[in-house]
Amino acid sequence: KAGVTQTPRYLIKTRGQQVTLSCSPISGHRSVSWYQQTPGQGLQFLFEYFSETQRNKGNFPGRFSGRQFSNSRSEMNVSTLELGDSALYLCASSPRVRGDNEQYFGPGTRLTVT
Amino acid sequence: QQQVKQSPQSLIVQKGGISIINCAYENTAFDYFPWYQQFPGKGPALLIAIRPDVSEKKEGRFTISFNKSAKQFSLHIMDSQPGDSATYFCAASDSNYQLIWGAGTKLIIKP
Protein backbone atom coordinates (compact mmCIF):
# COMPACT_ATOMS: atom_id res chain seq x y z
CA LYS A 1 0.00 0.00 0.00
CA ALA A 2 1.18 3.49 -0.76
CA GLY A 3 1.82 5.67 2.25
CA VAL A 4 0.37 9.03 3.14
CA THR A 5 1.34 11.69 0.63
CA GLN A 6 1.41 15.42 1.18
CA THR A 7 1.79 18.19 -1.34
CA PRO A 8 3.59 20.41 -1.68
CA ARG A 9 6.60 19.38 0.40
CA TYR A 10 7.94 22.92 0.72
CA LEU A 11 6.23 26.26 0.48
CA ILE A 12 7.28 29.87 0.95
CA LYS A 13 4.57 32.47 1.41
CA THR A 14 4.37 36.09 2.39
CA ARG A 15 2.60 37.38 5.48
CA GLY A 16 -1.06 38.07 4.74
CA GLN A 17 -1.35 35.50 1.97
CA GLN A 18 -3.31 32.29 2.21
CA VAL A 19 -2.16 28.73 1.59
CA THR A 20 -3.75 25.35 0.87
CA LEU A 21 -2.05 22.09 1.75
CA SER A 22 -3.14 18.70 0.48
CA CYS A 23 -3.06 15.21 1.97
CA SER A 24 -3.87 11.85 0.41
CA PRO A 25 -4.41 9.13 3.02
CA ILE A 26 -3.58 5.46 2.79
CA SER A 27 -6.12 3.62 0.68
CA GLY A 28 -9.05 2.52 2.83
CA HIS A 29 -8.37 5.00 5.63
CA ARG A 30 -11.25 7.36 6.22
CA SER A 31 -9.75 9.49 8.97
CA VAL A 32 -7.30 12.31 8.33
CA SER A 33 -5.77 14.39 11.11
CA TRP A 34 -3.66 17.52 10.75
CA TYR A 35 -0.89 18.66 13.08
CA GLN A 36 1.41 21.65 13.34
CA GLN A 37 4.97 21.06 14.48
CA THR A 38 7.35 23.92 15.24
CA PRO A 39 11.06 23.57 16.19
CA GLY A 40 11.38 22.31 19.72
CA GLN A 41 7.62 21.89 20.03
CA GLY A 42 5.55 18.79 20.09
CA LEU A 43 2.69 17.96 17.82
CA GLN A 44 -0.09 20.50 18.04
CA PHE A 45 -3.39 18.99 16.91
CA LEU A 46 -5.33 21.06 14.40
CA PHE A 47 -8.34 18.94 13.44
CA GLU A 48 -9.53 15.54 12.33
CA TYR A 49 -11.86 14.65 9.51
CA PHE A 50 -13.70 11.37 9.20
CA SER A 51 -16.14 10.59 6.40
CA GLU A 52 -16.07 14.23 5.28
CA THR A 53 -17.06 15.53 8.74
CA GLN A 54 -14.85 17.34 11.23
CA ARG A 55 -14.80 15.10 14.30
CA ASN A 56 -12.26 16.79 16.56
CA LYS A 57 -10.72 20.25 16.65
CA GLY A 58 -7.70 21.69 18.41
CA ASN A 59 -7.17 25.17 19.83
CA PHE A 60 -6.27 27.07 16.71
CA PRO A 61 -7.82 30.30 15.41
CA GLY A 62 -10.44 30.28 12.70
CA ARG A 63 -7.77 31.17 10.12
CA PHE A 64 -7.03 27.45 10.08
CA SER A 65 -9.65 25.40 8.32
CA GLY A 66 -9.91 22.10 6.56
CA ARG A 67 -12.12 19.83 4.57
CA GLN A 68 -12.29 16.25 3.41
CA PHE A 69 -13.53 14.96 0.11
CA SER A 70 -15.55 11.83 -0.64
CA ASN A 71 -12.36 9.96 -1.63
CA SER A 72 -10.93 10.78 1.87
CA ARG A 73 -8.35 13.21 0.51
CA SER A 74 -8.09 16.26 2.71
CA GLU A 75 -7.00 19.86 2.42
CA MET A 76 -6.17 22.41 5.05
CA ASN A 77 -6.21 26.13 4.47
CA VAL A 78 -4.55 28.91 6.39
CA SER A 79 -5.72 32.41 5.62
CA THR A 80 -4.02 35.71 6.42
CA LEU A 81 -0.69 34.05 7.14
CA GLU A 82 1.39 35.24 10.07
CA LEU A 83 5.11 34.76 10.67
CA GLY A 84 4.26 32.39 13.54
CA ASP A 85 2.54 30.03 11.11
CA SER A 86 5.93 28.92 9.83
CA ALA A 87 6.03 25.24 10.73
CA LEU A 88 5.99 21.67 9.53
CA TYR A 89 2.40 20.64 8.84
CA LEU A 90 1.83 16.94 9.20
CA CYS A 91 -1.07 14.89 8.01
CA ALA A 92 -1.89 11.46 9.45
CA SER A 93 -4.39 8.89 8.27
CA SER A 94 -6.02 6.19 10.34
CA PRO A 95 -8.52 3.38 9.91
CA ARG A 96 -10.30 4.84 12.97
CA VAL A 97 -11.98 1.60 13.90
CA ARG A 98 -12.39 0.11 17.35
CA GLY A 99 -9.13 -1.57 18.30
CA ASP A 100 -7.05 0.19 15.67
CA ASN A 101 -6.33 3.85 16.13
CA GLU A 102 -2.83 3.80 14.68
CA GLN A 103 -2.01 6.99 12.84
CA TYR A 104 0.25 6.87 9.81
CA PHE A 105 2.02 10.13 9.10
CA GLY A 106 3.04 11.71 5.85
CA PRO A 107 6.40 13.46 5.38
CA GLY A 108 4.87 16.87 6.04
CA THR A 109 4.74 20.22 4.28
CA ARG A 110 7.36 22.72 5.41
CA LEU A 111 5.72 26.16 5.33
CA THR A 112 7.86 29.28 5.64
CA VAL A 113 6.13 32.64 6.03
CA THR A 114 8.27 35.71 5.30
CA GLN B 1 -7.19 16.22 32.45
CA GLN B 2 -6.47 15.71 28.80
CA GLN B 3 -2.72 16.25 29.17
CA VAL B 4 0.02 13.72 28.75
CA LYS B 5 3.21 14.80 30.51
CA GLN B 6 6.46 13.47 29.05
CA SER B 7 9.93 13.56 30.56
CA PRO B 8 12.76 14.18 30.12
CA GLN B 9 12.78 16.80 27.40
CA SER B 10 16.18 15.57 26.21
CA LEU B 11 18.33 12.56 26.99
CA ILE B 12 21.90 11.54 26.21
CA VAL B 13 22.80 7.87 26.58
CA GLN B 14 25.99 5.99 25.83
CA LYS B 15 25.89 3.33 23.13
CA GLY B 16 24.83 0.04 24.66
CA GLY B 17 23.04 1.70 27.56
CA ILE B 18 19.35 1.77 28.46
CA SER B 19 17.25 4.76 27.43
CA ILE B 20 14.15 5.43 29.55
CA ILE B 21 11.43 7.93 28.72
CA ASN B 22 8.43 8.45 30.97
CA CYS B 23 4.88 9.65 30.47
CA ALA B 24 2.05 10.35 32.89
CA TYR B 25 -1.64 10.96 32.29
CA GLU B 26 -4.75 11.88 34.25
CA ASN B 27 -7.68 10.75 32.13
CA THR B 28 -8.63 7.23 33.20
CA ALA B 29 -10.70 6.85 30.02
CA PHE B 30 -7.55 6.58 27.91
CA ASP B 31 -7.35 3.07 26.48
CA TYR B 32 -4.55 3.18 23.92
CA PHE B 33 -0.96 4.29 24.54
CA PRO B 34 1.39 4.46 21.54
CA TRP B 35 4.98 5.60 21.23
CA TYR B 36 6.13 7.28 18.05
CA GLN B 37 9.65 7.81 16.74
CA GLN B 38 10.53 10.77 14.56
CA PHE B 39 13.74 11.30 12.63
CA PRO B 40 14.69 14.77 11.34
CA GLY B 41 12.81 15.66 8.17
CA LYS B 42 10.35 12.78 8.54
CA GLY B 43 6.89 12.34 9.96
CA PRO B 44 6.52 10.36 13.20
CA ALA B 45 6.18 6.59 12.86
CA LEU B 46 4.55 4.19 15.30
CA LEU B 47 7.17 2.33 17.31
CA ILE B 48 5.15 0.31 19.79
CA ALA B 49 1.76 0.59 21.51
CA ILE B 50 0.02 -0.89 24.53
CA ARG B 51 -3.49 -1.19 25.91
CA PRO B 52 -4.20 -1.01 29.67
CA ASP B 53 -5.04 -4.69 30.04
CA VAL B 54 -1.31 -5.60 29.98
CA SER B 55 1.54 -4.24 32.10
CA GLU B 56 4.36 -4.72 29.63
CA LYS B 57 4.91 -5.17 25.92
CA LYS B 58 8.20 -5.94 24.28
CA GLU B 59 9.23 -5.68 20.64
CA GLY B 60 12.88 -6.34 20.05
CA ARG B 61 14.93 -3.83 22.01
CA PHE B 62 11.88 -1.67 22.77
CA THR B 63 9.65 -2.25 25.81
CA ILE B 64 6.62 -0.36 27.10
CA SER B 65 5.98 -0.63 30.83
CA PHE B 66 2.49 0.36 31.92
CA ASN B 67 1.37 1.15 35.48
CA LYS B 68 -2.39 1.63 35.49
CA SER B 69 -2.70 2.54 39.17
CA ALA B 70 0.00 5.22 38.91
CA LYS B 71 -1.29 6.35 35.51
CA GLN B 72 2.18 6.18 34.05
CA PHE B 73 3.82 4.43 31.15
CA SER B 74 7.39 4.38 29.96
CA LEU B 75 9.53 3.39 27.00
CA HIS B 76 12.72 1.45 27.57
CA ILE B 77 15.28 1.07 24.78
CA MET B 78 17.76 -1.66 25.60
CA ASP B 79 21.27 -1.75 24.11
CA SER B 80 20.72 1.76 22.69
CA GLN B 81 22.36 2.36 19.31
CA PRO B 82 23.32 5.57 17.48
CA GLY B 83 20.57 4.80 14.97
CA ASP B 84 18.05 5.18 17.81
CA SER B 85 18.88 8.89 18.01
CA ALA B 86 15.54 10.56 17.28
CA THR B 87 12.67 12.37 18.95
CA TYR B 88 10.23 10.12 20.77
CA PHE B 89 6.61 11.01 21.48
CA CYS B 90 4.20 9.26 23.78
CA ALA B 91 0.48 9.63 23.26
CA ALA B 92 -2.85 8.43 24.62
CA SER B 93 -6.36 8.19 23.26
CA ASP B 94 -9.83 7.25 24.39
CA SER B 95 -12.89 6.05 22.51
CA ASN B 96 -13.08 9.45 20.80
CA TYR B 97 -9.99 8.39 18.78
CA GLN B 98 -8.20 11.70 19.28
CA LEU B 99 -4.55 11.20 20.25
CA ILE B 100 -3.26 13.42 23.06
CA TRP B 101 0.49 13.87 22.62
CA GLY B 102 3.37 14.30 25.00
CA ALA B 103 5.83 17.13 24.30
CA GLY B 104 8.53 14.81 22.97
CA THR B 105 11.98 13.67 24.09
CA LYS B 106 15.07 14.25 21.98
CA LEU B 107 17.26 11.20 22.43
CA ILE B 108 20.95 11.25 21.51
CA ILE B 109 22.97 8.04 21.64
CA LYS B 110 26.69 8.71 21.96
CA PRO B 111 28.96 6.23 20.15
Side-chain angles (χ1 to χ4, degrees):
Chain A
K1 271 187 180 178
V4 178
T5 58
Q6 292 187 244
T7 56
R9 292 292 313 279
Y10 303 92
L11 205 50
I12 300 175
K13 288 286 188 178
T14 303
R15 197 169 42 179
Q17 289 186 314
Q18 75 163 20
V19 66
T20 299
L21 312 181
S22 181
C23 173
S24 292
I26 290 172
S27 178
H29 286 188
R30 293 194 292 159
S31 167
V32 173
S33 298
W34 287 90
Y35 295 87
Q36 181 194 67
Q37 186 174 35
T38 50
Q41 296 295 312
L43 293 158
Q44 305 298 315
F45 174 73
L46 281 153
F47 29 66
E48 181 208 2
Y49 285 86
F50 177 74
S51 294
E52 302 178 65
T53 303
Q54 189 179 87
R55 299 297 175 131
N56 291 301
K57 189 176 189 303
N59 295 322
F60 277 81
R63 300 185 297 107
F64 293 81
S65 62
R67 60 177 175 168
Q68 187 179 36
F69 302 95
S70 58
N71 62 358
S72 294
R73 190 177 70 84
S74 177
E75 290 180 347
M76 68 162 281
N77 185 278
V78 188
S79 62
T80 319
L81 283 166
E82 300 177 359
L83 295 178
D85 297 334
S86 294
L88 179 68
Y89 289 88
L90 291 160
C91 159
S93 79
S94 169
R96 205 184 197 266
V97 295
R98 197 71 183 150
D100 186 355
N101 192 30
E102 180 178 348
Q103 293 197 357
Y104 298 79
F105 283 83
T109 294
R110 173 77 59 186
L111 172 65
T112 302
V113 182
T114 62
Chain B
Q1 239 215 346
Q2 281 292 90
Q3 280 188 317
V4 175
K5 294 183 179 178
Q6 183 173 347
S7 62
Q9 189 174 4
S10 62
L11 182 61
I12 300 174
V13 175
Q14 289 293 130
K15 179 183 173 183
I18 302 174
S19 304
I20 302 174
I21 304 170
N22 301 299
C23 285
Y25 64 97
E26 289 295 324
N27 188 347
T28 56
F30 287 149
D31 62 1
Y32 175 70
F33 302 88
W35 284 90
Y36 280 77
Q37 179 188 56
Q38 184 179 27
F39 293 106
K42 306 278 188 181
L46 180 68
L47 189 62
I48 186 172
I50 198 168
R51 296 199 181 274
D53 52 344
V54 297
S55 60
E56 186 175 282
K57 183 175 181 180
K58 186 175 181 179
E59 288 184 4
R61 296 184 294 108
F62 300 90
T63 300
I64 298 181
S65 297
F66 185 80
N67 186 329
K68 189 173 182 178
S69 59
K71 291 184 281 188
Q72 295 176 347
F73 58 110
S74 60
L75 176 70
H76 291 65
I77 305 174
M78 312 300 286
D79 187 27
S80 298
Q81 299 296 312
D84 297 331
S85 297
T87 299
Y88 293 81
F89 293 95
C90 65
S93 77
D94 59 17
S95 58
N96 197 31
Y97 297 101
Q98 182 181 345
L99 280 175
I100 309 300
W101 295 83
T105 297
K106 185 172 183 178
L107 174 65
I108 296 172
I109 307 300
K110 281 196 159 184

